Amino acid sequence: MVFAHANWRKPTLRTLDRPSIFLAGALSALLILWVFFFLSTPFQPTTCSCTRPDPAFNLQFDPPVSTFYDDPSFGYTLDTRITNYDFKRQTWLKLHPSFQPKSGTRVLIVTGTRSTPCKSRTGDHFLLRFYRNKVDYCRIHGYDIFYNNVLLDPKMPSCWAKIPTVRAAMVAHPEAEWIWWLDEDAAFTDMEFKIPFEKYKDYNFIVHGWPREVYERKSWLGLNAGSFLIRNCQWSLDFLDSWADMGPRSANFGKWAGVLSDVFRHESDDQTALGYLLLKDHQKWFGKKMLIETGYYLEGYWVSIVDTLKNITERYLEIETTAAMLRRRHAEKVSERYGVLREPSLKDAGNEFGSWRRPFVTHFAGCQPCNGKHNPLFTGEGCRDAMNKALNFADNQVLRNYGFVHRNLSDTSGVSPLPFDYPV
């Protein structure tokens, strides 16, 4: 897949006439005079009235005052129940005031892989790129990330392993309001988009899906547990206990396996268990705090996304052709500013299927890049090609801050420098 903006081309000698050369010479002379004047003028320091919205974290301050960490009955494992956590967390924040600003929106991304090498010959390569993609997003937006590759609970293997990992991350990071789980084979494909957390002030658990598929058709494919948000609070700890009770570490696992098979016509796994909790507790205490997100790709299925990436690239370049500020070179640290500036141009782009907006998260469910046992509906080559395109599409958004771009989304190693004022 190769793309090049139609209005961009390199100037040649034939396109430069003599008046243009004369004008260039005159401008060069004026530039030399300006530089001479600038260098001969004494430097005058400027004052900045900017104020930092967040004081820096004091990473060396932990007062000798008892917190929940000092309680011998406290534990990180699922078999150690935690109570009154909201009070304990708020107490910890008050004792660590440098973490209090924006503590209501702070995010910790959690992801992980198995501890052993991949069986697929390209598996470790792709998992490294998926992880690097998440690190890029976290760096741009100031999020922390926890990458786990050990089994925290041997009785919760495979897809169930995310539950003990998320629980441990919650209590290890009281400064974070939201824990965001992302599967190893999920990639950010819109580096500018930020989750609208103000939308979730009344919710504690967010997952992507289609409510009708869950509530009416009782389909286990009506949601995907590969990407979800969970608030760091007592409600969430209780919810994780209920979710884990349906897993293989529980004495109730056999009972739940039968129930889930009857309701969803599918084997017991973390996703069918989550679907059941949503279905049966929809009007109860758990359900009222859970939301199935339909407004954007918190988790988008790669099959319906990858073939749209070339067209999306061209549409974004068209916007930048007429918007000088979006073409402006800038430091990576201020990238969020340009995401905000782009939003008015995307008001008619739509979202999810059929949209020409960049998909937020693209999930390669069924490709199994590590063990190579992909869904028989796909081919290994098809999965690898699609992963390359999506990861390079995301990488282009990062590399642009460093002055480079993949001209071909299928070419992982080849990049080209970008000219000034690209794409004009």
Side-chain angles (χ1 to χ4, degrees):
M1 181 185 296
V2 180
F3 63 87
H5 192 260
N7 295 329
W8 180 75
R9 60 190 178 94
K10 291 183 178 180
T12 64
L13 289 175
R14 292 182 180 179
T15 63
L16 298 175
D17 53 20
R18 291 183 178 179
S20 297
I21 295 174
F22 174 79
L23 180 60
L27 289 173
S28 298
L30 288 173
L31 181 61
I32 292 172
L33 289 173
W34 180 84
V35 170
F36 175 79
F37 173 79
F38 178 80
L39 292 177
S40 62
T41 303
F43 173 70
Q44 297 292 332
T46 59
T47 58
C48 178
S49 59
C50 306
T51 58
R52 295 181 63 185
D54 252 343
F57 294 160
N58 190 341
L59 302 179
Q60 297 186 12
F61 177 72
D62 195 21
V65 179
S66 294
T67 68
F68 63 91
Y69 290 113
D70 299 297
D71 182 355
S73 65
F74 166 81
Y76 296 87
T77 59
L78 285 165
D79 56 5
T80 306
R81 183 169 175 78
I82 298 176
T83 59
N84 202 24
Y85 178 66
D86 293 341
F87 173 77
K88 294 172 180 176
R89 179 175 171 242
Q90 289 304 315
T91 300
W92 187 94
L93 284 170
K94 289 178 181 178
L95 291 172
H96 299 78
S98 70
F99 292 94
Q100 280 193 298
K102 294 190 177 180
S103 60
T105 56
R106 192 168 295 122
V107 179
L108 172 70
I109 290 181
V110 180
T111 187
T113 59
R114 65 187 64 196
S115 58
T116 55
C118 291
K119 294 181 180 179
S120 169
R121 60 182 178 82
T122 59
D124 292 308
H125 165 74
F126 276 110
L127 292 190
L128 176 62
R129 293 179 64 197
F130 275 112
Y131 178 56
R132 180 231 156 156
N133 167 270
K134 296 177 178 70
V135 171
D136 284 339
Y137 185 84
C138 289
R139 185 182 64 253
I140 289 170
H141 295 285
Y143 294 165
D144 285 335
I145 187 168
F146 171 50
Y147 178 87
N148 178 46
N149 70 338
V150 294
L151 201 58
L152 299 185
D153 189 333
K155 296 180 181 179
M156 296 285 274
S158 188
C159 61
W160 294 98
K162 66 184 65 172
I163 298 177
T165 303
V166 167
R167 187 188 189 278
M170 287 174 60
V171 295
H173 285 269
E175 83 286 354
E177 178 72 8
W178 291 96
I179 307 299
W180 183 359
W181 171 266
L182 278 169
D183 274 3
E184 60 187 17
D185 55 354
F188 291 101
T189 38
D190 188 345
M191 289 293 175
E192 291 179 342
F193 187 85
K194 291 191 71 174
I195 287 180
F197 284 106
E198 66 280 359
K199 180 180 178 180
Y200 306 138
K201 61 183 179 64
D202 296 323
Y203 297 99
N204 293 334
F205 187 91
I206 320 296
V207 66
H208 181 257
W210 301 269
R212 179 177 295 180
E213 294 294 314
V214 175
Y215 299 127
E216 296 180 17
R217 299 181 181 178
K218 298 180 182 178
S219 170
W220 71 282
L221 295 173
L223 53 83
N224 193 289
S227 173
F228 62 81
L229 301 164
I230 187 166
R231 193 184 295 275
N232 195 358
C233 64
Q234 182 67 52
W235 180 98
S236 298
L237 289 171
D238 295 339
F239 172 77
L240 290 176
D241 287 341
S242 295
W243 195 3
D245 185 59
M246 306 172 82
R249 76 181 310 277
S250 170
N252 299 317
F253 182 56
K255 179 196 78 172
W256 283 118
V259 171
L260 296 176
S261 178
D262 289 342
V263 174
F264 289 103
R265 300 292 188 268
H266 189 264
E267 65 181 350
S268 175
D269 61 18
D270 67 314
Q271 188 162 303
T272 51
L274 177 59
Y276 186 86
L277 288 171
L278 278 159
L279 176 67
K280 294 302 180 181
D281 288 336
H282 182 49
Q283 298 300 327
K284 296 180 182 179
W285 183 61
F286 274 147
K288 291 180 180 179
K289 291 292 184 179
M290 301 169 73
L291 177 69
I292 298 179
E293 177 60 71
T294 61
Y296 62 92
Y297 278 128
L298 182 59
E299 179 275 341
Y301 188 37
W302 66 274
V303 172
S304 59
I305 287 176
V306 171
D307 288 340
T308 69
L309 298 181
K310 180 177 183 296
N311 178 60
I312 291 173
T313 298
E314 292 293 337
R315 295 295 295 268
Y316 273 63
L317 290 175
E318 288 173 9
I319 291 173
E320 292 174 8
T321 299
T322 59
M325 278 298 292
L326 294 177
R327 300 194 302 271
R328 184 187 181 199
R329 291 175 175 174
H330 58 268
E332 186 181 65
K333 282 294 186 183
V334 294
S335 293
E336 284 191 3
R337 166 64 175 162
Y338 294 85
V340 173
L341 290 175
R342 194 188 305 275
E343 276 302 309
S345 301
L346 300 173
K347 64 180 185 302
D348 298 322
N351 224 321
E352 293 207 348
F353 185 74
S355 168
W356 55 268
R357 179 190 286 267
R358 292 170 182 159
F360 183 35
V361 174
T362 302
H363 186 198
F364 286 85
C367 275
Q368 300 294 331
C370 191
N371 63 31
K373 297 179 180 179
H374 54 79
N375 188 312
L377 294 173
F378 319 132
T379 65
E381 182 180 0
C383 279
R384 288 189 292 272
D385 182 59
M387 289 188 288
N388 271 327
K389 288 176 180 176
L391 289 166
N392 288 336
F393 176 83
D395 201 26
N396 272 348
Q397 298 165 50
V398 178
L399 286 178
R400 183 162 180 177
N401 292 323
Y402 296 82
F404 294 87
V405 69
H406 294 277
R407 294 287 183 188
N408 186 337
L409 292 184
S410 294
D411 183 1
T412 298
S413 58
V415 295
S416 302
L418 288 174
F420 183 77
D421 206 32
Y422 177 84
V424 170

